[in-house]
């Protein structure tokens, strides 16, 4: 698969990773995206289809949140609505929405906080009027509560955390931003609904964000991909977290520990090593 940067040499990359959170970058990057090939950062539909399809039903109303780095959206469920939302950016130029539509899920709506991306996707998939594209911020979704049977996100949270200096110690701003998105996901899910999150973040980095009792869901983890593995997290609304998961979730709410003082070895210049040798 061609690099996502192919044909976009005119788009200057952000000087710092936090630039990936800015809508201006994605507006510039996806100018003319309707004419570019789709690109999926965390694998295409075929790579995680076996994990995804058992959790979805053709009649589901589905909301999908993806990162703008992922790509374009495609059709989804007919009687149900599949919403692709990319935190602050979302649908990008991935083909996930369209592949869901082709896979038998006809009602899909994609959202992105970049109006440029949304316009490009509307143009690209004009031949599939069932697909819906909306400009929206995933931290404040403009949908009624309990509107969807399933929510998918693919790279959204990764983009929101792109500016973090240390993945082990997420800043209070990063924690708050992710919580805003996950709170909205929980709000728009019906009881028994599913939230599916696909990411490059391993459990020791991501589980603590998902494992909050206030979201009211259970949590399961799987991997997919050949060679380099990506991670799929499945949350069921109405389920319960394990004691171990709750303990992990509590860690992210605890204040960071102060840095420990460096430990230096004693100066050995004055030690008489020769006298300690047993001959």
């Amino acid at each position: 698969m061609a690099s996502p940067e192919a044909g976009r040499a005119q788009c200057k990359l952000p000087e710092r990773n936090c630039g990936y959170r800015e809508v201006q970058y994605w507006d510039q990057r996806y100018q003319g995206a309707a004419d570019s090939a789709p690109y999926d950062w965390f694998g295409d539909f075929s790579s995680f289809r076996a994990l995804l399809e058992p959790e979805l039903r053709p009649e589901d109303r589905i909301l999908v949140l993806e990162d703008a780095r992922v790509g374009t959206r495609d059709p989804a469920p007919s009687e149900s609505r599949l919403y692709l939302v990319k935190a602050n950016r979302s649908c990008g130029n991935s083909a996930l929405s369209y592949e869901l539509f082709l896979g038998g899920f006809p009602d899909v709506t994609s959202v992105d906080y970049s109006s440029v991306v949304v316009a490009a996707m509307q143009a690209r998939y004009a031949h599939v009027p069932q697909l819906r594209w909306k400009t929206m911020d995933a931290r404040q979704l403009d949908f009624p509560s309990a509107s969807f049977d399933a929510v998918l996100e693919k790279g959204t949270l990764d983009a929101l955390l792109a500016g973090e200096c240390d993945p082990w110690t997420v800043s209070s701003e990063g924690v708050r931003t992710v919580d805003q998105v996950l709170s909205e996901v929980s709000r728009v899910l019906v009881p028994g609904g599913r939230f599916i999150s696909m990411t490059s973040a391993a459990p020791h980095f991501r589980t603590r964000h998902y494992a909050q009792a206030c979201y009211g869901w259970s949590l399961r983890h799987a991997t997919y991909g050949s060679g380099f593995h990506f991670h799929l997290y499945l949350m069921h609304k109405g389920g319960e977290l394990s004691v171990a998961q709750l303990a992990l979730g509590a860690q992210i709410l605890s204040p960071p520990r102060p840095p420990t003082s460096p430990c230096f070895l004693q100066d050995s210049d004055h030690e008489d090593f020769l006298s300690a040798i047993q001959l």
Side-chain angles (χ1 to χ4, degrees), residues 5 60 78-79 111 116 146 159 176 204 214 225 249 252 256 273:
E5 299 302 327
D60 276 345
S78 66
E79 292 184 356
V111 308
V116 174
R176 183 171 58 255
H204 48 269
C214 59
I252 206 166
F273 292 104

Side-chain angles (χ1 to χ4, degrees), residues 51 55 218-222 232-236 241 245:
L51 294 171
E55 303 301 330
S218 59
L219 172 61
R220 187 157 53 91
H221 167 259
L232 184 147
Y233 298 87
L234 172 64
M235 285 134 277
H236 273 253
L241 297 166
Q245 289 170 338

Side-chain angles (χ1 to χ4, degrees), residues 100-174:
L100 284 166
F101 177 80
L102 296 179
F105 305 99
D107 189 355
V108 181
T109 299
S110 308
V111 308
D112 196 298
Y113 85 153
S114 169
S115 58
V116 174
V117 172
V118 170
M121 296 306 99
Q122 288 174 331
R124 175 181 291 178
Y125 296 107
H127 63 290
V128 188
Q130 296 94 322
L131 287 178
R132 302 177 183 87
W133 307 91
K134 297 179 181 293
T135 302
M136 199 176 297
D137 189 331
R139 297 170 300 180
Q140 191 173 3
L141 298 173
D142 189 21
F143 298 119
S145 298
S147 296
F148 310 107
D149 301 291
V151 176
L152 280 68
E153 79 91 10
K154 188 160 171 271
T156 300
L157 300 180
D158 298 75
L160 289 176
L161 295 172
E164 292 295 320
C165 298
D166 180 5
W168 293 97
T169 308
V170 180
S171 68
S172 58
E173 178 187 2

Side-chain angles (χ1 to χ4, degrees), residues 167-223:
W168 293 97
T169 308
V170 180
S171 68
S172 58
E173 178 187 2
V175 171
R176 183 171 58 255
T177 299
V178 171
D179 174 65
Q180 288 176 318
V181 175
L182 297 182
S183 295
E184 281 294 88
V185 170
S186 177
R187 181 183 66 80
V188 300
L189 276 175
V190 299
R194 289 84 64 205
F195 173 40
I196 300 166
S197 175
M198 288 165 279
T199 172
S200 62
H204 48 269
F205 293 127
R206 191 54 58 81
T207 295
R208 53 191 173 166
H209 290 281
Y210 302 131
Q212 302 298 324
C214 59
Y215 302 142
W217 55 40
S218 59
L219 172 61
R220 187 157 53 91
H221 167 259
T223 59

Side-chain angles (χ1 to χ4, degrees), residues 20-37:
Y20 287 107
R21 299 187 305 216
E22 302 301 324
V23 68
Q24 292 85 355
Y25 168 74
W26 297 106
D27 283 348
Q28 180 186 7
R29 173 167 176 165
Y30 284 101
Q31 287 287 350
D35 300 322
S36 63

